[in-house]
Amino acid sequence: MAFSAEVKGELCRPRVSRRCCAQAEAYGVLLFCGAFHPRQARIVTECAALKERLPLLFRKAFKLSFDQTPEPGEGKGAFLIEDPIKLQAIFETFDLERDASVSLHINLSQLEEDHCRTAFLRGAFLAGGSVTDPMKGYHLELATSHYHVGRELPALLREAGFEPKETQRKGNRVVYFKQSHHIEDFLTYLGAPVSAMAVMNAKLERDLQGRVNRQVNCDSANLDKTVAAAREQIAAIGRLEASGRMDALPDKLREAARLRMEYPELNLGQLGGLCEPAVSKSAFNHRMRKLLELAEGSAEQARTWEE
């Protein structure tokens, strides 16, 4: 199941006890659904939980039923109201004019109470909202075809303590959030704390995976450097042996060269621990640097070098 469907399923579980909240939620659904105008209200959805909720919601809000409902088992289906008397009742509930030339607005007088404002935003999300699976990214949006509604929604959200962003897409006004903590807060506000926790857990998992990947990459890079350095050191020791200069080296350098050749897989700190007596990583690295210098220099350098 898509994450959006899971969120909407969670939002549809609680019953609507207050009629004012039922009306506010239905108001949000209507302003963000497929079509809402003086001749028709058409709500299209494929969310099974919302299909079960809508008839109960509209009966509670307006004491009316839909003229058409989806067939049982149908995927995406439409709820339709075209009866003029029913439409008149809906428009009168929200003090809206049934004039085809009038653009719809959010009637804020219907949303003065906090619980009604929450119900309205829940309905808006159920009808025109979506949220990305948090394991793939962070994006939650609400889209409406009503220009003024899309312009007024951000102000309503700011009153509720949110800071959304706005854009326009294919004739729709879109209000959205892109940061995980904003999405968590908004889902919690709507009444979906389980989904909000899923966003939080996904963020923690992604952050942890990112840290692990960075550590692995860092370890891999360090290993590559160690291997490259060991190859360079072994090649230098080989040149010293081939030129007969190894016997002229001080005991400590010969010991370092022997250990490097015997244990090519060990790092400098481990090689330093094998010396007699043991020396630090820094000291062993100093000996390796001298071997590299001597491999590029002369036999005279080997005879005159002192650690």
Side-chain angles (χ1 to χ4, degrees):
M1 181 186 296
F3 186 67
S4 278
E6 294 178 3
V7 174
K8 292 181 180 182
E10 183 179 0
L11 291 175
C12 287
R13 281 196 283 271
R15 295 180 58 186
V16 179
S17 57
R18 296 175 175 174
R19 191 179 184 199
C20 63
C21 288
Q23 290 176 344
E25 185 175 324
Y27 193 21
V29 168
L30 290 166
L31 291 181
F32 286 80
C33 68
F36 180 48
H37 50 75
R39 295 181 304 279
Q40 184 186 83
R42 185 170 182 267
I43 306 164
V44 179
T45 183
E46 59 183 348
C47 176
L50 183 55
K51 289 178 182 178
E52 293 181 6
R53 186 176 183 84
L54 284 174
L56 301 175
L57 180 67
F58 273 60
R59 191 175 299 120
K60 179 79 172 180
F62 312 115
K63 297 182 180 179
L64 56 81
S65 60
F66 288 97
D67 297 335
Q68 175 185 311
T69 58
E71 293 293 331
E74 184 178 353
K76 181 179 289 187
F79 291 82
L80 190 66
I81 297 177
E82 292 181 326
D83 185 328
I85 296 176
K86 294 180 181 179
L87 289 169
Q88 181 66 33
I90 292 173
F91 272 73
E92 287 180 353
T93 298
F94 304 119
D95 294 328
L96 302 174
E97 296 183 27
R98 286 192 64 204
D99 187 334
S101 64
V102 175
S103 297
L104 292 178
H105 291 260
I106 299 176
N107 187 345
L108 296 178
S109 65
Q110 302 285 328
L111 309 174
E112 292 180 349
E113 300 294 335
D114 290 341
H115 50 79
C116 289
R117 187 182 301 115
T118 301
F120 173 84
L121 292 171
R122 180 169 59 247
F125 181 81
L126 288 172
S130 65
V131 57
T132 301
D133 184 337
M135 293 304 295
K136 298 178 180 178
Y138 305 120
H139 182 87
L140 182 149
E141 68 175 42
L142 299 96
T144 177
S145 60
H146 302 292
Y147 178 80
H148 294 293
V149 172
R151 291 292 301 273
E152 294 158 355
L153 179 63
L156 185 64
L157 286 167
R158 282 190 282 272
E159 284 185 13
F162 301 100
E163 290 297 331
K165 297 183 179 181
E166 307 171 55
T167 189
Q168 183 136 353
R169 185 196 308 137
K170 297 181 181 179
N172 289 331
R173 294 291 305 179
V174 180
V175 176
Y176 65 95
F177 299 102
K178 293 291 289 185
Q179 297 190 353
S180 61
H181 63 281
H182 290 159
I183 295 173
E184 293 164 16
D185 292 344
F186 186 64
L187 291 178
T188 301
Y189 177 83
L190 294 184
V194 175
S195 298
M197 184 62 68
V199 176
M200 186 181 302
N201 289 339
K203 179 184 178 182
L204 292 174
E205 185 173 339
R206 291 179 69 183
D207 289 348
L208 176 60
Q209 186 62 51
R211 288 197 295 271
V212 170
N213 288 340
R214 286 191 293 273
Q215 185 62 51
V216 168
N217 291 337
C218 181
D219 291 345
S220 178
N222 289 337
L223 180 59
D224 289 344
K225 291 179 181 178
T226 299
V227 170
R231 287 176 178 170
E232 185 181 7
Q233 293 158 6
I234 290 171
I237 293 169
R239 292 195 298 273
L240 289 171
E241 289 178 339
S243 64
R245 289 181 282 166
M246 186 63 70
D247 292 340
L249 296 178
D251 292 342
K252 292 180 179 179
L253 285 187
R254 288 203 306 274
E255 180 187 42
R258 177 182 61 80
L259 290 173
R260 175 78 283 177
M261 297 297 284
E262 289 181 5
Y263 304 101
E265 75 283 0
L266 298 185
N267 60 40
L268 298 181
Q270 293 168 325
L271 291 172
L274 296 177
C275 291
E276 293 292 342
V279 298
S280 66
K281 176 182 177 180
S282 176
F284 197 88
N285 182 47
H286 178 66
R287 295 179 185 183
M288 285 293 103
R289 286 202 310 271
K290 295 307 300 183
L291 286 170
L292 290 172
E293 292 173 9
L294 293 171
E296 300 300 326
S298 65
E300 183 64 25
Q301 285 177 300
R303 287 193 296 270
T304 59
W305 181 82
E306 293 182 1
E307 189 171 357

